[in-house]
Structure formats: C-alpha cells, structure tokens
Amino acid sequence: MGISLNFKGFNASLKGPMSAVLAVSLTVVALSLPVSALAQQDSAGALLEEIIVTAAYRAQGLQDVPVSVSAVTGDMILEAGIQKAEDIQFLVPNFSLTETGISTNTFIRGIGSGINQGFEQSVGTYIDGVFFGRAQQIRAPFLDLERVEVLRGPQSILFGKNSVAGALNITTAKPTDSFEGRFLASTEFEDSETIVEGMLSGPFSDNVRARLAARSRNLDGYMQNATLGRDEPNREDWVVRGTLEFDVTPELTATIKADIAEFDVTGRHIEIINEQPAAAGPFTGLEYNQILSLVFGQDASVANVVQDDIRSSNGDFSFNESASYSLTLDWSIGEYELKSISAFSTFEYDEFCDCDFTGATVFGAALQEQYDQFNQEIRLSSPLWDNYDYIVGAYYQTSDHDFFDQIIVPIDSVLVPAINGASPGAGDLVAGTQAARTATVDADVLSAFAQFNWHASDRFSVQLGGRITSDKRDGFRSLTIEDDSGNPLPALQVGAPIVYADAFGITSTNLAALGPAGAFFISTLGVLPVSGTRDKTKFSSELKGVWNINDDTMLYASWSNGFKSGGFDFRANNRGVFPDMATSFEFDDEEASNYELGGKFKFAGGAAELNVAAFFTDFEDLQISIFDGTLGFNVGNAATAEIMGLEVDGRWAATDYLTISGGFAVTDFEFTDFRNGQCYFGQTPNVDLDGDGTDELCDYTGNSNQLVSDFQGNLSFDFAFPIAADMELTALFGVFYTSEYDASATFDPGLVQDGYSKFNARFGYGPASGNWEIALLGKNLSDEKVLQFGGDTPLAGSTFGAKSNYAFYSRGRTLSLQGMFRF
C-alpha cells in the first residue's frame, strides 16, 4: 500500500516501508493541518488563488463543482516541464497513461480501453469542447494551455457517451485584450532534449483579438539500441495553433481556431526480460535469446535480456499528423448563453513495429490509420436563478475510420528455417510475404442532453441530468496474404496462407481457393471478409444532491450511469472462442453505474482547501483486448467488475511564500466475473468457454485490473522567496508514490511493478514581476526505472516454446535548464 506524492514536476525515489511511511506522513500532515491548526489561522493571512474550471460546462471555482476533479494549471505545465498528458499522471492520483508498442492505455479509477484501434475510449479527451476519440491522439504534445482538468467517474451527461471512466477536459489559452508574449527555451543534459516554445497574443482592433503559439521538441533518446548502435526513442514533435476571436456584435463573439501538429518517434522504450529455458520441444534447455543467436545465428545483441536501458531491435518508428479546425459562436441572448461548436479534425499515422521486440530478424508489423471527424454541438445555458437553472443541448458527430496493418515475414526471417525444420518446405512458402489487413468503421452519433438544477433552498440543490444517444456504425474487416510488396502471391507460394493459418492462427481470404486444407482452416479460424452493422440508442442519467452547509463547506451525493460504445474488432486474426467470425467481430457496449459521496471544504478564510470523494462503481460488459500469445489481439467483454475507493486532495497557503498541495487515492478494483481472460505463456488454462472439452482461457475473477494501484498519492511544496532588488527565488519540490500494480493484461507474476516513489525539484530565479526567469528542473532524481506495460514476447512461447517477456520502461533521471521571457 502506498501514497502518491508529487511536487509540481520533481521526481526522486524511495523504496520499501520507509517510502510509504514518509509518503503517508507528509500527506496526512498536509491535509490534516487545515482541519485543525489552520482553522485558527487569521483570515487576513495568505490566501489561495482560485482555480476556475469548466467541469460542469460553466466557469466555476474548483471548490464549487460537485465532482471529483483535479486541475493542473497552464503555469504549472510550463514550470514543471510537462510535455503531454502522460506526464499528468504524476500530479493526479487515480489517473494513469502509458504508451505501448501499437496503442495507448488511459485509465481513471482502474478503467480504461485496451489495445485495439477499433475501441472508443473509456476516458474521453476534450479540447475546448471538441471530442478527440482515438487513443493515439492523446500522445500529442501540450501547447499554451490554460489548464487540464481530470474528471473522475462517469461524465456521460454533459461530455457524452465515451467518458464512462472519466474525462480529460483541456482548455487552451485564449486571445487577450492587451498585447503579451512569451518565449521559453529548455535544454536537458542527460538525454540531449531541447524544447523551444513561443506565444504572441493581443488585439488587432477594439473588436478583434488573436493568439499564435508554436512549440518544437527534439529528444535523442534514453535507451541504447545495441543492434543499431543508436539512442532511442528519438522524438521530434512540433505544434502550431492560431486563434482568432472577434466580436460580431455586442452579443455575439466568434472564435476560429486552427491546430496543426506532428509528433514522430523513432525507436521504442522496450526491453526483453524474464527469459526461461524451453521445457520441451527441439529447443529444450535453451532460452529464447540463445535460440535466436546460437541456433539461428542472429545478432549478438539479442543476448541482452535484463533491464539495463539497453535494447535490441532492427528499428521502429511512429509518424503522426493531426489537425483540427473549429468555429465557436457565443451568443448572449438576454440572460441566456447560447454556444455553438463546429469542428473538423483529422488524424493519421504511419508506424513500423519490430514486433518480435528483438534484434533478430523474425517479423515486423506496419500500421497505418486515418481518422476524419466532424462534430456539431449547440447548448443553451440559463441564468443562475434563485430557484432553478439548466443546460440543454444537442450533439452530432460523423466519422470515417480506416485502419491497415501488415504482419511481415522477411525473406531472411528465422521463421523460415524454424518452420522448415518442423515441416520441410513450409517455411519457404512464407518467406518474403505479409498478412495485410484492412478494417473500416463509418459512424454517426446523435444525442440530446439536459441538466436541471432545482435550488430547494438557499443551501440545498437537486441536480437531474439525462442524455439520449443514437449510435450507428458500419464495420468491415478483411485480411489477405500477399508478397511483402503488396502484390498477389507468386505461383510457388500460393500455399503460404495454409502456413499462416497453421503456424500463427491467421485466417485469410486466400484460404477459400485452397481446397480441403483451406476449408478446414476456415472452419477452425473463421471466414473473411467480415462486416457488421450496429444501431443502438441508449439513455444515460444522473441524480445529485448538493448541500452547501455554509460558504466554506459543500457536501454532495450522486448516482450516475453511462456507457461506452461497442464496435468492431480491428485486430483479431481469427474467431477465437466465438462460434463464428461475425460474432467475434462485434463487441458490446460497456456500461457503468457510479455512486459517489463527496465534500469540498475551505478553511481559514480561503487559506486552505480540502476535497474528499468516496465512490463505488459497478461495471458491466467491460471491454478488453488481450494479446493471444501469438500475433493477434482478442477483443471481447469481460463480464462485470466492481470498483470502490477514496480520493482526497488539498491545498494550503501556509505563508505568503509557501503553498503545500497533495492528495491520495485508495482503490479497490475487483473483476466479479472474468472467465474469458487470455493466459500468459506457461499458465494452465482453466476455462472451456466454447464447450469443446478443452480449456483454452483463464479465469481472472477476483483479480484487480492491469495498471491499478491500491494506493497512490502526491505532495508538493511551492516556494517563492523575495530577495534583493525586487528579485525572487522560487522552488518546487514534489514526490509521487504508488503501490504495486500489474503491468500485464494477463497478470503475469513476472510483470508486476513494485511500489515506488519519484521525486522532482525545480529552482528558479528572476524578477517578482515574472518578466523573465532562469530555472533548473530535475525529474526522477533517484533514477527510478518503472515498468509501465508488458506481455509475452511474440512467438517466443507459441513458436519456440521458451518463456520471454517484453517490457516498457519509463525514462530515468533528467536535468533541464529553462529560460523564460515574458513581455
């Protein structure tokens, strides 16, 4: 058990019981002082600056919103060197995000979407009110933000269907009425990282204002690729945003925004660990790396199978492009506010994954995705009358989603002689070929929503909300075996689809022309192409009671339900345990009911704040995607899960020069029915789901979920000391702690990350006016290398019979020098 402690961007590491003791002690002290000693503080002392959020679609103080929400301000993002959403998790308990080889996992309160490009997201991402629904879009770099709000629990009424676990509500900075600018440059010494960012904002006239911001980042890498002799992952990203705001009339303001970005990565942060000798078969007694190097003569770098920041790989890349364009209209109609948001966004990437994750020539996977979305939202907000107020609106979204991937067996792959050894000539059939997949989904979403607040008295309100959503989508998937240039198979290799089916469990359109053998594998693995249509209408609702005991104390109780859309499986290679391909292709909606009790408290006339939320969430048909141990991912619904927990956070302006903030989360996640789990290699199956008399899956009922910590917390100290000649010395100290968690979706005991702490620090010097600053920023000062995600090394067990794991490890210590100039 642990507590997550966090200092606005500073990381270092304590381990073991002393880490937990220190973390708990510091947080308890920080959060209990407001209740006791701070209550006696003179209200004329230091006060906290109010944080404004739009979690309830109105601009409100953070302490006035009856939701479990954490907010990270734009200033904190700049000062702490936060690059993207992945960095936010060390400031917000019960939120985690990690990038995998072919996807991105985002979790709130233990709930998130697995690895499949066909999934919608359980954690919705919204930028200035526009929904960004693809997992990889969240990898985009941060630029010129006003704040990031992390809303925990279902947010289905105001934000929509795909926020069943929570939402990231991101607000960009707006044009200003007076001219201002900012320039920031940062250089990092450990990994040769440079960041340059600039912003200009101001009026063109009395009625027109504009803001332009741009950012560029380059990172050499923090792991050594021993096969290619280079540092990885190398990152290059840039983003440009232009915002034009003009007053059409005194009652109507129009905002036009364009946002264009590229974020490219060469290489991965993957290492091979936990290798064990094969227990049976032709390679008995040899580890996977020995099979590759000694038997098949592969590069000696494959022998590195311990975590040491050295990997072996023949090279990977991920090239991403995104663009979004929006028009927002804000009308004041008497006391009412009418808002219209029209937006078009496009996102595409081209990736290559050396997906055997070693420096041997085994196989590769190329992936391409194109996603185009148009959405229109209109909502009306009433005045805040004495007796009631309301928000009503409608939303329309249409999208086109195309996905392609190719599983490539090079002509010199070790699979060729390996398969030949078991079946002479069969390996030659697949040399220089690929399994080329196409998947598409066209979707239309139409919804209407309303939230009504009845103020029964000056102190008590009842909130009732509902949203009806119609979701229509058409899906298609096919896969064909081709040569590795995308051409039809040559005559001598027309039997390759049989080898793909037998060795890798991959069905294809080619099998239909291959006689009885092809018919056998079609009946075993499923027929392609496959298509499907979904047309679902669902209603989400919310009931909340809010009791303002006094101006400093607010209590709330809520019940809400929501759902995440079902859809179509993009990445399965066969029908799995389902009776046919059509059944396996479609997965169901994910549904949640959430019960929450919370309170928000102010102390000492605004010098301290404390927020508490206790929750219980009942999930049904939780969507899962688990690696099948060979080359594919199986998608389905994992029956039911229950999550309960406690979230606490607080701030205290201890003096005019010191602010302390912190929080923690205790989470108890349990699968109450999960009998269709994929086993890790070497695990004995215990579930015969398809009733054929053979156990093929594993029962994970009673388990927690991957990436879920029982305990997390953060604590930060923010100092600002005036010194001579109107100068100021600033310092930030922070610590983050998390208890152990499973980094594998198959709960492999070799892929459990022990509890750890990270420490960060920042020291800055400049005038109190903030016109300029020089700062030194240190992250993860104790050089903690954290296991973020892992699984069975593809083909190591299924083809060669040897236990092996791949593992994603986080970046180690970084030291950066920052320079910032404002005007």
Side-chain angles (χ1 to χ4, degrees):
M1 186 162 149
I3 176 174
S4 147
L5 306 172
N6 188 315
F7 298 99
K8 274 170 97 175
F10 156 53
N11 282 304
S13 166
L14 291 177
K15 297 181 179 179
M18 287 306 296
S19 173
V21 170
L22 175 61
V24 172
S25 299
L26 290 174
T27 303
V28 169
V29 169
L31 298 181
S32 63
L33 277 176
V35 182
S36 55
L38 294 185
Q40 306 301 320
Q41 182 174 319
D42 186 348
S43 61
L47 298 179
L48 290 169
E49 182 177 350
E50 186 178 33
I51 297 177
I52 301 298
V53 297
T54 55
Y57 269 39
R58 299 181 189 267
Q60 295 174 280
L62 182 64
Q63 295 303 109
D64 300 323
V65 181
V67 175
S68 180
V69 54
S70 295
V72 182
T73 65
D75 286 342
M76 183 182 294
I77 289 170
L78 275 177
E79 294 170 0
I82 294 173
Q83 311 291 344
K84 52 185 177 178
E86 186 176 17
D87 299 334
I88 295 291
Q89 63 187 313
F90 301 112
L91 300 172
V92 179
N94 251 353
F95 169 67
S96 63
L97 189 156
T98 185
E99 297 180 11
T100 72
I102 57 173
S103 189
T104 302
N105 287 326
T106 308
F107 286 74
I108 289 180
R109 291 180 174 175
I111 296 296
S113 296
I115 298 174
N116 194 285
Q117 282 75 6
F119 276 153
E120 303 285 351
Q121 295 306 293
S122 301
V123 178
T125 299
Y126 303 83
I127 303 178
D128 294 332
V130 178
F131 175 60
F132 288 80
R134 309 321 311 159
Q136 200 140 311
Q137 287 178 294
I138 204 171
R139 296 186 183 185
F142 282 166
L143 169 67
D144 194 30
L145 301 183
E146 185 174 317
R147 68 184 170 274
V148 176
E149 303 166 25
V150 181
L151 288 73
R152 292 176 285 257
Q155 306 296 324
S156 301
I157 307 306
L158 296 181
F159 286 90
K161 62 185 177 66
N162 291 328
S163 302
V164 69
L168 290 183
N169 186 30
I170 300 173
T171 303
T172 64
K174 301 299 185 288
T176 52
D177 292 324
S178 58
F179 180 74
E180 63 180 54
R182 180 184 67 244
F183 177 81
L184 178 144
S186 172
T187 181
E188 197 278 323
F189 305 108
E190 295 278 338
D191 306 318
S192 299
E193 179 182 32
T194 59
I195 299 172
V196 177
E197 181 175 330
M199 177 276 294
L200 290 173
S201 179
F204 282 152
S205 67
D206 290 342
N207 297 324
V208 181
R209 300 163 294 281
R211 191 179 188 103
L212 179 65
R215 181 182 188 273
S216 173
R217 177 196 182 200
N218 289 275
L219 168 66
D220 280 355
Y222 50 90
M223 283 190 178
Q224 180 187 353
N225 185 327
T227 311
L228 301 179
R230 68 187 189 191
D231 290 336
E232 295 179 349
N234 175 277
R235 294 182 181 269
E236 296 183 7
D237 54 59
W238 60 265
V239 57
V240 177
R241 180 185 306 120
T243 308
L244 184 66
E245 184 180 87
F246 53 97
D247 301 323
V248 181
T249 70
E251 293 78 26
L252 173 61
T253 299
T255 304
I256 300 173
K257 181 166 68 75
D259 204 317
I260 303 172
E262 288 188 12
F263 41 106
D264 301 335
V265 183
T266 302
R268 307 281 190 185
H269 50 297
I270 306 172
E271 298 185 60
I272 299 297
I273 59 172
N274 297 338
E275 296 220 334
Q276 300 173 15
F283 307 111
T284 299
L286 295 178
E287 295 180 358
Y288 184 45
N289 74 91
Q290 296 170 327
I291 297 169
L292 295 174
S293 60
L294 301 179
V295 178
F296 294 104
Q298 296 298 295
D299 193 275
S301 61
V302 301
N304 187 306
V305 290
V306 295
Q307 192 279 312
D308 59 359
D309 289 342
I310 300 174
R311 69 178 302 234
S312 68
S313 171
N314 293 301
D316 319 76
F317 62 79
S318 175
F319 300 150
N320 302 262
E321 298 180 5
S322 70
S324 64
Y325 309 92
S326 64
L327 169 64
T328 301
L329 302 175
D330 290 286
W331 282 281
S332 294
I333 306 174
E335 295 184 285
Y336 292 83
E337 297 291 334
L338 183 66
K339 179 182 285 287
S340 167
I341 303 174
S342 309
F344 172 78
S345 61
T346 180
F347 173 71
E348 62 180 287
Y349 66 74
D350 181 16
E351 292 191 343
F352 181 81
C353 172
D354 184 15
C355 272
D356 58 85
F357 302 137
T358 75
T361 303
V362 185
F363 78 99
L367 305 91
Q368 306 86 39
E369 188 170 4
Q370 172 75 47
Y371 180 77
D372 297 324
Q373 172 185 299
F374 172 79
N375 58 269
Q376 173 65 54
E377 180 170 358
I378 187 165
R379 60 179 184 257
L380 177 70
S381 301
S382 77
L384 298 175
W385 288 307
D386 291 339
N387 296 327
Y388 69 93
D389 61 81
Y390 58 85
I391 297 174
V392 296
Y395 179 81
Y396 172 72
Q397 174 186 307
T398 184
S399 61
D400 297 320
H401 187 192
D402 299 322
F403 173 76
F404 311 91
D405 72 3
Q406 303 84 42
I407 300 171
I408 305 165
V409 180
I411 196 169
D412 57 345
S413 166
V414 302
L415 294 174
V416 176
I419 295 172
N420 279 337
S423 179
D428 295 329
L429 293 177
V430 297
T433 65
Q434 64 184 23
R437 185 186 346 252
T438 298
T440 65
V441 167
D442 298 329
D444 292 288
V445 178
L446 181 63
S447 64
F449 59 90
Q451 186 181 79
F452 179 83
N453 290 289
W454 172 47
H455 308 300
S457 68
D458 291 342
R459 295 297 183 184
F460 185 75
S461 299
V462 176
Q463 184 180 99
L464 181 64
R467 188 178 191 116
I468 188 168
T469 302
S470 169
D471 188 319
K472 299 179 180 179
R473 55 188 64 209
D474 297 312
F476 170 86
R477 189 181 81 221
S478 187
L479 185 149
T480 301
I481 309 301
E482 311 168 336
D483 74 13
D484 57 7
S485 297
N487 301 313
L489 290 169
L492 293 177
Q493 290 182 293
V494 292
I498 298 293
V499 183
Y500 273 92
D502 184 48
F504 310 129
I506 297 178
T507 189
S508 62
T509 58
N510 312 67
L511 291 172
L514 295 178
F520 167 77
F521 282 112
I522 288 175
S523 66
T524 303
L525 301 176
V527 63
L528 288 175
V530 62
S531 60
T533 298
R534 288 179 58 85
D535 187 352
K536 302 289 185 180
T537 299
K538 288 205 168 185
F539 183 73
S540 301
S541 54
E542 179 183 58
L543 177 63
K544 184 177 296 184
V546 182
W547 182 21
N548 291 287
I549 296 176
N550 53 50
D551 292 342
D552 295 329
T553 303
M554 182 258 284
L555 303 177
Y556 67 90
S558 69
W559 170 84
S560 62
N561 68 357
F563 75 100
K564 184 181 80 168
S565 294
F568 302 104
D569 182 358
F570 276 10
R571 290 195 49 81
N573 290 331
N574 50 61
R575 63 178 175 86
V577 297
F578 294 94
D580 53 58
M581 187 66 85
T583 305
S584 89
F585 182 47
E586 183 175 350
F587 52 90
D588 290 332
D589 295 340
E590 183 176 284
E591 300 184 5
S593 294
N594 185 68
Y595 304 85
E596 190 163 319
L597 295 173
K600 301 201 171 185
F601 311 93
K602 298 177 184 178
F603 302 96
E609 300 171 346
L610 181 67
N611 306 314
V612 180
F615 65 90
F616 173 83
T617 308
D618 183 16
F619 264 87
E620 295 183 0
D621 294 324
L622 186 67
Q623 296 167 6
I624 57 169
S625 173
I626 298 180
F627 180 56
D628 66 7
T630 309
L631 294 177
F633 286 83
N634 293 328
V635 167
N637 295 86
T640 61
E642 293 180 351
I643 311 100
M644 64 181 69
L646 176 70
E647 295 157 348
V648 179
D649 65 82
R651 295 191 300 155
W652 173 31
T655 73
D656 289 336
Y657 312 121
L658 170 63
T659 299
I660 302 173
S661 58
F664 66 84
V666 180
T667 305
D668 181 10
F669 186 110
E670 180 182 356
F671 285 114
T672 53
D673 184 4
F674 185 4
R675 299 184 65 252
N676 57 332
Q678 180 65 47
C679 308
Y680 58 84
F681 179 74
Q683 185 178 13
T684 301
N686 59 0
V687 176
D688 176 17
L689 199 66
D690 58 5
D692 64 356
T694 301
D695 292 340
E696 61 278 304
L697 296 175
C698 286
D699 187 352
Y700 293 137
T701 301
N703 282 25
S704 182
N705 202 2
Q706 67 177 120
L707 303 180
V708 177
S709 302
D710 291 340
F711 200 85
Q712 284 188 336
N714 62 76
L715 184 65
S716 66
F717 297 85
D718 187 347
F719 300 88
F721 298 106
I723 55 179
D726 197 31
M727 303 300 287
E728 187 174 65
L729 181 66
T730 60
L732 302 173
F733 299 101
V735 59
F736 168 87
Y737 176 82
T738 182
S739 61
E740 73 173 25
Y741 56 82
D742 284 287
S744 165
T746 56
F747 307 101
D748 189 328
L751 293 171
V752 174
Q753 171 61 52
D754 293 335
Y756 67 88
S757 301
K758 285 190 173 185
F759 295 83
N760 301 333
R762 182 181 187 273
F763 299 92
Y765 175 78
S769 62
N771 290 341
W772 61 266
E773 184 184 39
I774 300 294
L776 182 65
L777 173 64
K779 295 184 178 182
N780 195 10
L781 294 179
S782 61
D783 207 25
E784 185 84 13
K785 308 296 174 60
V786 176
L787 176 58
Q788 298 175 304
F789 186 81
D792 288 328
T793 303
L795 300 184
S798 60
T799 299
F800 297 96
K803 171 71 173 178
S804 176
N805 289 133
Y806 70 89
F808 286 78
Y809 283 98
S810 66
R811 190 175 177 183
R813 178 193 300 112
T814 63
L815 296 170
S816 302
L817 181 65
Q818 297 177 332
M820 189 184 307
F821 177 67
R822 291 185 174 94
F823 52 91

